[in-house]
């Protein structure tokens, strides 16, 4: 069975703080893909990053960075120097050997000015 | 370029009625997915199309739900005899070929069953 766990339901930080959103996944597939999406208050899911299981390199994109560790089945997402516009619900998703994309329950991030 | 579009954006219906929700994917994307998102939850897979055929419909909750994609582009999700529990946001996503590539989501249709 495939599963994605986002244990943090809601996080509040003050602007300019760093914040890490956790994602733990379960799959028996050797080839799989991991994703992060942002869902702002407007509701539309916005793609942030895609990672395949053979590429464990960490990635940085501006204030965003991702840490993929197969040994702990985790794909964590860090926002550096958070801003109010980062306030949203963030979803981690897994696509294994089937066509299904399994989403976590999301982490609501509130960045306070 | 144009993204995934969904119509209507909001649909209010009465229990027992029939509804159709439409999705127009990104041009050239052969893979199309439907999801249902309830309040406070992540998107829940319903069905996946590769071209015109439903490659995986295991997420459809029961036989009141049906989806088609007759020409391999636009898709329609059909719900018969709606129930209050069907109220949710229905999301559509498309990707180039479904092989683990990135899905791009539409804005969703908020369905309310009274």
């Amino acid at each position: 069975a495939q599963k994605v766990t986002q244990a943090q339901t809601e996080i509040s930080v003050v602007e300019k703080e760093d914040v890490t959103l956790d994602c733990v996944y379960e799959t028996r597939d050797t080839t799989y893909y991991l994703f992060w999406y942002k869902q702002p208050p407007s509701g539309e899911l916005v793609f942030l990053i895609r990672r395949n299981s053979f590429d464990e390199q960490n990635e940085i994109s501006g204030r965003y960075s991702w840490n993929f560790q197969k040994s702990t089945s985790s794909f964590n997402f860090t926002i550096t120097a958070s801003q109010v516009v980062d306030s949203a619900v963030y979803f981690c998703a897994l696509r294994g050997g089937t066509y299904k994309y399994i989403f976590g329950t999301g982490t609501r991030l509130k960045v306070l000015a | 370029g144009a993204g995934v579009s969904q119509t209507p954006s909001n649909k209010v219906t009465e229990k027992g009625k029939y509804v159709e929700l439409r999705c127009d994917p990104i041009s050239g994307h052969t893979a199309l997915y439907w999801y249902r998102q309830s309040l406070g939850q992540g998107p829940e897979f319903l069905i996946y199309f590769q071209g015109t055929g439903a490659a995986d419909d295991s997420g459809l909750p029961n036989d009141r739900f049906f989806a088609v994609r007759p020409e391999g582009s636009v898709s329609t999700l059909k719900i018969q005899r709606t129930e209050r529990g069907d109220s949710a946001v229905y999301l559509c996503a498309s990707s180039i070929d479904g092989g683990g590539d990135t899905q791009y989501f539409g804005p969703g249709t908020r369905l309310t069953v009274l």
Side-chain angles (χ1 to χ4, degrees):
Chain A
Q2 300 187 74
K3 187 178 178 182
V4 174
T5 301
Q6 294 181 256
Q8 304 152 307
T9 304
E10 185 169 313
I11 301 175
S12 291
V13 298
V14 177
E15 206 170 19
K16 297 184 184 177
E17 286 185 358
D18 299 347
V19 58
T20 295
L21 309 182
D22 298 334
C23 172
V24 174
Y25 63 91
E26 294 177 28
T27 181
R28 294 182 179 177
D29 296 318
T30 54
T31 301
Y32 54 90
Y33 304 85
L34 296 163
F35 303 81
W36 276 95
Y37 285 85
K38 174 181 180 180
Q39 190 171 42
S42 62
E44 191 159 344
L45 281 155
V46 176
F47 164 75
L48 296 177
I49 189 170
R50 168 183 178 268
R51 249 305 172 250
N52 74 53
S53 52
F54 299 107
D55 182 1
E56 282 193 78
Q57 278 193 338
N58 292 328
E59 181 157 338
I60 298 174
S61 175
R63 295 185 297 106
Y64 295 170
S65 63
W66 290 269
N67 184 301
F68 177 26
Q69 292 197 338
K70 289 177 75 170
S71 60
T72 56
S73 297
S74 64
F75 186 43
N76 296 337
F77 172 31
T78 297
I79 302 174
T80 303
S82 59
Q83 299 177 1
V84 173
V85 293
D86 296 327
S87 296
V89 180
Y90 291 86
F91 290 98
C92 180
L94 164 71
R95 194 275 199 190
T98 70
Y99 299 109
K100 293 181 183 180
Y101 289 67
I102 307 299
F103 283 77
T105 52
T107 296
R108 180 177 299 278
L109 174 64
K110 292 184 177 180
V111 182
L112 308 172
Chain B
V4 178
S5 62
Q6 292 185 246
T7 54
S9 55
N10 277 286
K11 176 70 176 179
V12 180
T13 191
E14 293 180 344
K15 180 174 178 293
K17 298 289 189 183
Y18 167 83
V19 297
E20 290 189 351
L21 312 179
R22 175 188 166 110
C23 172
D24 205 332
I26 293 172
S27 178
H29 281 194
T30 62
L32 185 145
Y33 302 78
W34 282 99
Y35 292 86
R36 179 167 68 176
Q37 187 175 23
S38 300
L39 196 62
Q41 300 296 314
E44 175 192 3
F45 170 84
L46 295 177
I47 187 169
Y48 158 65
F49 285 92
Q50 181 55 255
T52 60
D56 186 342
D57 64 358
S58 61
L60 295 177
N62 52 59
D63 61 6
R64 295 186 298 104
F65 288 75
F66 188 70
V68 296
R69 195 185 185 200
E71 297 178 358
S73 178
V74 171
S75 176
T76 304
L77 178 65
K78 309 180 180 194
I79 310 174
Q80 299 177 323
R81 304 184 304 280
T82 51
E83 299 177 357
R84 293 194 178 87
D86 299 335
S87 297
V89 176
Y90 289 81
L91 297 168
C92 177
S94 71
S95 68
I96 292 175
D97 62 15
D101 54 319
T102 300
Q103 294 180 82
Y104 295 92
F105 283 82
T109 294
R110 181 175 299 278
L111 175 65
T112 303
V113 182
L114 301 177

